[in-house]
Amino acid sequence: MVARVRTVAFRGVDTLDIDVQVHMGNGIPSFSIVGLPAKAVDESKDRVRAALSALGLALPPQRITVNLAPADVTKEGSHYDLPIAVGILVQMGVLPADEIANYLVLGELALDGQLTEVSGILPAALGASARGAGIICPEKCGPEAAWAGNIEVLAPRTLLALINHFKGSQVLTPPDPAGPEEAGALPDLADVKGQESAKRALEIAAAGGHNLLMTGPPGAGKSMLAARLPGLLPPLEPREALEVAMIRSVAGDLKGGRISRARPYRDPHHSSSIPALVGGGLQARPGEVSLAHCGVLFLDELAEFPRTVLDSLRQSIETGQAVVSRANNRVTYPARFQLIAAMNPCRCGYLADPAQACGRAPKCGLDYQARLSGPLLDRFDLRIEIEPVSARALAAPLETEASEIVAGRVARARQMQRQRFDAAGVETLHRTNAALEGKLLEQTARPERAGQALMEEAARRLSLSARGYHRILRVARTIADLEASESVRRHHVAEALAYRGIVLKQAA
């Protein structure tokens, strides 16, 4: 007889069914795990042996073989501890095989029989719900699993509690979904003095989900402006919040199972590697681009990032996915983020400042900005130059709009965009102007005659690529939405064109 327990392996935010098969037969007493187990999985036998011993149970003096099928898929993670232990208990007659077959089992075992929380419970629970099964997981993971909805969740604190539940001597109470994560106070745009043109560009970026590059000397306020972008963005829609939560769950970042409707804001250091930014590593974990899904990825000191790291972002920016290719599998994570970047005009930062003139200008600026490839620059919809704030402006009292007021205009513009996608029957999770393409872009963002003439003239003079041409149209459509204009007019196009080519002009 072979005991079978169902569990899963993770492929991005998707799950792959794994059949844990436990066989006990005659031979020299041993305990082996087969089916391409990684180091953490192979060590499960020691944790299982100790946990059973803590319950007063000893492994029978038989040859125990655990097979993780399909055998040609690498098994990674500590969540295989509990299904292996449950399979052994089924073989020993402690747990009923017919009832265990109705559950997906995940969890890590402590040496004293406690169940330790593991990552990936939310996608596993959603997968169990789709298969019409329940889920058994550690107590701390129960509130996260309960988000899957109409699904039976058993969340024992210890292995003994699980055994007692099936024996009828103890009843496990179904956990309730964890409450939503409370969003903290966000920096307010009203705290920023001066920089009115930069605030306007930030509002346009927020309204249309556009990528923004800010260039300026140190201390001009680039990082301060970027930190205030989340306060202008509307909360996540339910489907978006679920996707973000699944990524955080796989990354082990969904603390207490609390799902947040605040848009992610990630700001990795410029020393980050490709696996840290795009994803990868030993277990193909999601990178910063995926953790910023449906939110903002802020790259400060953009030119200090290695060029290979920056160029690795290009595919994710275009496709909204991060692909991690390994020798034995290929993992895809969602990565539809809004890229906000800041950089100095040269290494010292004072290329265009007459008071602190760069001693190696203009070569210093040319060399520094050459670290950014043309294709990467072409993926920024908005490029603005940040000027230092004057002493008079710093001394003046605050007289600027608060984030709440600007966020109201952003919300109205985004509502227009959602209605436009709905009217066209386009099914997509991300319904902003930054996602406009094909016929919908042609139908909704084509300017009036005067605006179209200006676009054609600009395309001819600036030698715009097709990508750059379409990005300008998307920005013009967003500017029109902020004015609640149904058509894209000449002045909308003119303003959108003003946000192109700032970096190249500055280096000249």
Side-chain angles (χ1 to χ4, degrees), residues 285-301:
R285 291 292 189 184
E288 294 290 341
V289 297
S290 297
L291 295 172
H293 181 60
C294 294
V296 177
L297 177 66
F298 176 50
L299 301 183
D300 199 7
E301 303 295 346

Side-chain angles (χ1 to χ4, degrees), residues 3 39 48 182 194 249 296 307 319 322 328 341 399 430 479 495-496 498:
K39 181 65 174 176
V48 169
E182 296 182 3
S249 177
V296 177
R307 183 163 180 166
T319 64
N328 54 356
E399 295 180 358
H430 312 285
I479 296 171
E495 185 175 0

Side-chain angles (χ1 to χ4, degrees), residues 440-492:
L440 187 57
L441 175 63
E442 177 68 21
Q443 294 169 358
T444 62
R446 184 176 180 84
E448 295 179 346
R449 179 175 299 179
Q452 183 61 32
L454 181 60
M455 273 297 303
E456 293 174 0
E457 178 68 12
R460 183 180 64 83
R461 288 194 177 186
L462 301 177
S463 301
L464 293 175
S465 66
R467 182 191 297 116
Y469 182 90
H470 290 149
R471 287 185 180 275
I472 291 172
L473 286 182
R474 295 183 184 114
V475 173
R477 177 67 267 176
T478 299
I479 296 171
D481 288 342
L482 285 170
E483 294 182 3
S485 173
E486 290 296 330
S487 59
V488 178
R489 300 172 182 170
R490 179 184 174 87
H491 68 280
H492 301 146

Side-chain angles (χ1 to χ4, degrees), residues 176-191:
D176 295 322
E181 184 178 344
E182 296 182 3
L186 296 174
D188 200 309
L189 200 61
D191 299 332

